[in-house]
Amino acid sequence: MTNPLLEPWTGDFALPPFAAIRDSDFAPAFDAALADARANIASIAGDAAAPSFANTIEALELAEETLNRVAGVFYNLAGADSTPKREELQRDLAPKMAAFSSEVTMNAALFARIEALWQARGTLGLSPEEARVLELYRRMFVRAGAALDEAGRGRMAEVKERLAVLSTAFTQNLLADERDWWMPLAEADLEGLPDFVIASAKAAAEERGQPGHVLTLSRSLVVPFLQFSPRRDLREKAYEAWVARGANGGATDNRALAAEILKLREERAKLLGYESFAAYKLEPEMAKTPGAVRDLLMRVWAPARGKAQADAEVLTRMMHADGVNGDLEAWDWRYYSEKRRLAEHDLDEGELKPYFGLDAMTEAAFDCANRLFGLDFRPLDVPLYHADARAWEVTRDGRYIAVFIGDYFARSSKRSGAWCSAFREQRKLGGDQRPVVVNVCNFAKPAMGEPALLSWDDARTLFHEFGHALHQMLSDVTYSLISGTSVARDFVELPSQLYEHWLEVPEVLDKHARHAKTGQPMPAALRDRLLAASTYDQGFATVEYVASALVDLAFHEGAAPADPMAVQTQVLDDIGMPYAIRMRHATPHFAHVFSGDGYSSGYYSYMWSEVMDADAFEAFREAGDAFDADTATRLEKHILSAGGSEEADALYTAFRGKMPGVEPLLKGRGLLEPAA
């Protein structure tokens, strides 16, 4: 019997044959793909011919093509539509994939060929892109441990395998806690909730096979519940369950896993000669050093904390006026902040939400991409991995650019959060390979027959993830290693955060923010009030984010803590964390940091990129048009299409002329003191 994961994908757009793939296909496909990759690597390393860029670097680029194809399908499905079988296989694959990675990057003969090319690089006649790819391959191998002695390489491989096992367990524990907790809501418990929250709770009950309404730990449901429910007892119960994910004791508790992960990361850095994991991790990033990260975060912390404390005093007075004595608690903040927003800005989420239909906001993101970059989007009727997912063909001037998949609704099989990924990345080596990009979100699914409505924050998330998708779809490089979002971690959020700005362009709202049932545009007065409140509650938002980034940095900046929870408490005490605000991501559910190495020592990167995105959108303002063609062309040329073809600061400087300061960020968040 043939395996659809290993057969050529010859259907429309060479998409994975989702309808034909069964969970039982994955294990044999991985076995075959790993065997194929190992044979290719052995052939490259053992080539009797002198190393050349073609027979070593380009050969490496193509050596794992089958494995990348199989893994691209599996890991996307494991995150977006998990099953017990997929979770079991993910646990089994974690050490195997880590071991294979170590085999490749610590292959002495292979590294010798790369090093020979590196030493002779000035004589090879390489193009700038080829020189960059060679530099990055050598960097990757050295940082993976290729230059260590035999004992060091062996221990590094063991550390990486164990880290892969632990990070997989951390992710699956978090998914289990989110999937298994739900709270039935009686009719009386629905008091004060807007219709859209009630509808979401009903849909959540339907998804779980329960009668009536239930509350889950999906952010798109629990946050509006905390905003609108007048039942303080239920808000407390829901909030404490939400923040306790990964810290409930038993088999899904992540605290011991976090401690072991930090200890192994420290050992990994020390094996390579770095004083800390943060020093190791930040070396190739824009920030370069832990000190530079801390300087940025503390520059923002002081004004954010001051704003949050002033806001807390206002909210406390509102709570006391309601007859609730005592301190403002974390489960009170969103409720009273929503009341204050209504009082001060005449903004009611229930009034706003009908103007942010999912279909309308998706069309808005597409329309902006058309006006900026000439992209067109045509719906596709093709089999996908879940009934909720939708696909579009992306073209420009009739030329095929990419396939874009949107998977927007929360479900119990999907991990929390929102992300952009790819089933296939762009490259030119070996043929013009076009990308298949997916945005995955966790928006509340509407009840049957009701329109899908987004909050303002949800709409921003949709634009954010689509900015990542544009980075993938507009990529125009030869090599996979530098394709799309393969850039410095503290640069990767620039395109996504920059794209959020177009949601706030008045003409975009006028065209696309239309009532889901009547089709009428958002009234200009409501639009203006919405935009005038764009920095509302930014003290809270900035504090909860920066606190998480500072804890992440503290975990990795020195010796690994035996008790990460104690370090978390100490950091928050030292910075004077406001009482009624918690970290956005407490340690046991800090997936950015512990579900793999991606954002470890790097959670700060959203803010580092925000320094640039505020300045980058200013370039359009200076041109006098949010859709200025020349500025959009420069943005695509130097950032969106360039991938990792140059260092991030060089790419940004090519677009903007210089690197920005922190002031645009503070201004954008409403944290600059008004001029005297």
Side-chain angles (χ1 to χ4, degrees):
M1 182 178 294
T2 59
N3 190 317
L5 288 160
L6 299 174
E7 293 296 307
W9 296 348
T10 56
D12 291 341
F13 307 103
L15 290 173
F18 293 112
I21 296 170
R22 302 291 178 265
D23 280 352
S24 57
D25 294 324
F26 283 113
F30 269 105
D31 287 343
L34 281 165
D36 178 66
R38 284 190 168 101
N40 291 337
I41 295 298
S43 177
I44 298 167
D47 192 343
S52 68
F53 189 84
N55 70 19
T56 302
I57 301 302
E58 291 189 340
L60 276 173
E61 279 282 289
L62 300 175
E64 299 171 24
E65 187 164 13
T66 303
L67 180 59
N68 289 338
R69 186 172 60 167
V70 173
V73 176
F74 176 74
Y75 287 109
N76 274 299
L77 267 58
D81 192 27
S82 182
T83 66
K85 182 68 175 177
R86 289 170 191 171
E87 290 183 19
E88 179 186 355
L89 181 56
Q90 198 173 11
R91 292 191 294 270
D92 182 55
L93 282 171
K96 290 182 180 179
M97 295 296 283
F100 171 71
S101 176
S102 294
E103 284 178 36
V104 174
T105 54
M106 296 188 209
N107 183 311
L110 185 57
F111 179 58
R113 294 180 71 85
I114 295 171
E115 185 66 17
L117 291 172
W118 175 250
Q119 295 301 329
R121 61 191 180 279
T123 67
L124 301 178
L126 301 178
S127 70
E129 186 177 343
E130 290 169 341
R132 173 68 170 166
V133 169
L134 173 59
E135 176 189 12
L136 291 177
Y137 263 105
R138 182 180 182 273
R139 178 194 292 178
M140 181 204 323
F141 273 66
V142 170
R143 287 172 60 78
L148 296 175
D149 60 22
E150 185 176 353
R153 292 196 301 272
R155 179 56 186 159
M156 181 67 83
E158 293 172 354
V159 166
K160 287 182 178 179
E161 286 183 44
R162 181 60 180 163
L163 282 169
V165 170
L166 293 170
S167 64
T168 299
F170 189 99
T171 303
Q172 294 188 353
N173 288 346
L174 183 53
L175 177 61
D177 277 3
E178 292 168 346
R179 180 178 56 218
D180 295 345
W181 188 95
W182 49 271
M183 181 172 73
L185 297 173
E187 284 299 318
D189 301 334
L190 304 178
E191 175 196 350
L193 298 179
D195 290 344
F196 72 84
V197 180
I198 295 173
S200 295
K202 186 176 189 302
E206 291 171 352
E207 200 235 345
R208 284 164 173 72
Q210 299 297 316
H213 304 79
V214 303
L215 181 66
T216 71
L217 298 182
S218 170
R219 176 177 283 270
S220 61
L221 181 51
V222 72
V223 166
F225 183 85
L226 293 170
Q227 284 177 295
F228 293 106
S229 176
R231 288 282 300 277
R232 196 178 192 225
D233 58 329
L234 296 183
R235 294 202 311 268
E236 179 180 3
K237 183 177 180 181
Y239 183 85
E240 291 292 10
W242 190 36
V243 299
R245 292 167 296 156
N248 289 303
T252 62
D253 197 294
N254 276 334
R255 287 171 287 192
L257 299 184
E260 188 177 354
I261 287 171
L262 293 173
K263 181 173 170 41
L264 290 171
R265 284 177 179 164
E266 180 191 12
E267 182 180 358
R268 179 180 173 188
K270 293 288 180 63
L271 281 169
L272 294 169
Y274 293 88
E275 62 180 20
S276 69
F277 184 79
Y280 158 77
K281 189 68 186 295
L282 293 172
E283 184 183 58
E285 310 298 339
M286 295 184 76
K288 301 301 181 190
T289 68
V293 172
R294 185 173 299 280
D295 286 347
L296 171 65
L297 294 175
M298 294 310 295
R299 176 82 183 273
V300 177
W301 174 257
R305 179 176 179 271
K307 183 72 166 62
Q309 286 179 312
D311 290 342
E313 293 176 4
V314 175
L315 301 184
T316 300
R317 289 196 296 270
M318 293 174 65
M319 185 179 75
H320 291 170
D322 272 356
V324 180
N325 296 319
D327 294 327
L328 183 77
E329 300 287 351
W331 49 87
D332 297 319
W333 190 291
R334 288 176 174 84
Y335 178 70
Y336 285 100
S337 180
E338 183 65 25
K339 280 190 161 189
R340 183 186 179 192
R341 186 171 74 145
L342 177 58
E344 295 185 1
H345 295 281
D346 194 19
L347 285 177
D348 176 1
E349 188 75 19
E351 181 186 9
L352 280 173
K353 202 157 187 176
Y355 292 100
F356 293 102
L358 173 59
D359 289 343
M361 290 301 99
T362 303
E363 181 57 35
F366 291 172
D367 185 38
C368 290
N370 175 266
R371 295 181 65 183
L372 288 164
F373 311 114
L375 299 180
D376 294 299
F377 298 80
R378 180 178 69 87
L380 294 175
D381 183 12
V382 292
L384 297 172
Y385 61 89
H386 193 278
D388 286 344
R390 295 182 288 169
W392 292 264
E393 178 190 10
V394 186
T395 60
R396 178 158 57 186
D397 297 328
R399 175 175 172 262
Y400 170 50
I401 298 295
V403 168
F404 173 71
I405 298 171
D407 180 3
Y408 293 118
F409 295 128
R411 52 180 173 265
S412 58
S413 63
K414 184 188 288 187
R415 65 179 171 89
S416 63
W419 63 93
C420 177
S421 186
F423 286 94
R424 183 173 64 235
E425 78 284 349
Q426 179 272 331
R427 72 159 195 247
K428 296 177 183 175
L429 183 67
D432 186 14
Q433 178 172 285
R434 304 313 306 164
V436 177
V437 183
V438 59
N439 277 176
V440 185
C441 299
N442 272 279
F443 304 143
K445 190 172 185 177
M448 189 71 69
E450 293 296 316
L453 303 179
L454 306 183
S455 68
W456 177 242
D457 284 344
D458 288 340
R460 292 181 71 91
T461 296
L462 187 149
F463 267 67
H464 178 102
E465 297 306 332
F466 193 73
H468 282 308
L470 287 172
H471 204 178
Q472 297 264 31
M473 294 188 292
L474 290 173
S475 178
D476 187 24
V477 297
T478 302
Y479 302 100
S480 298
L481 185 70
I482 56 171
S483 178
T485 56
S486 298
V487 298
R489 179 62 62 180
D490 47 12
F491 190 65
V492 76
E493 297 298 335
L494 168 61
S496 55
Q497 293 177 181
L498 173 59
Y499 206 66
E500 293 178 35
H501 288 273
W502 275 277
L503 180 60
E504 297 183 350
V505 174
E507 63 186 278
V508 173
L509 292 174
D510 290 344
K511 181 176 181 180
H512 296 285
R514 292 179 172 269
H515 198 282
K517 292 188 175 179
T518 69
Q520 292 299 306
M522 178 184 288
L526 178 58
R527 178 205 67 202
D528 292 344
R529 295 199 305 274
L530 174 65
L531 295 178
S534 62
T535 62
Y536 177 72
D537 218 15
Q538 278 299 305
F540 170 88
T542 307
V543 159
E544 67 165 6
Y545 165 78
V546 173
S548 296
L550 286 167
V551 168
D552 167 41
L553 186 63
F555 281 158
H556 298 99
E557 198 173 4
D563 183 358
M565 299 305 293
V567 170
Q568 173 183 300
T569 299
Q570 187 62 55
V571 170
L572 299 182
D573 287 346
D574 289 346
I575 62 176
M577 185 74 170
Y579 173 77
I581 306 179
R582 309 266 184 99
M583 294 169 60
R584 183 173 176 85
H585 303 290
T587 299
H589 58 261
F590 207 162
H592 279 82
V593 170
F594 293 106
S595 291
D597 276 353
Y599 283 88
S600 56
S601 295
Y603 193 61
Y604 77 92
S605 60
Y606 290 92
M607 186 150 284
W608 193 275
S609 292
E610 190 176 340
V611 170
M612 290 177 284
D613 84 63
D615 177 67
F617 194 69
E618 191 64 28
F620 287 89
R621 288 198 180 99
E622 291 169 3
D625 181 1
F627 296 95
D628 179 68
D630 290 342
T631 309
T633 297
R634 292 202 318 274
L635 177 65
E636 179 178 352
K637 177 181 178 181
H638 297 298
I639 294 176
L640 296 177
S641 71
S645 57
E646 294 184 64
E647 292 289 349
D649 54 355
L651 293 173
Y652 189 82
T653 301
F655 163 64
R656 193 68 171 109
K658 60 180 176 57
M659 294 299 294
V662 74
E663 286 72 19
L665 178 152
L666 294 173
K667 179 182 178 183
R669 286 185 173 244
L671 300 176
L672 273 181
E673 290 294 328

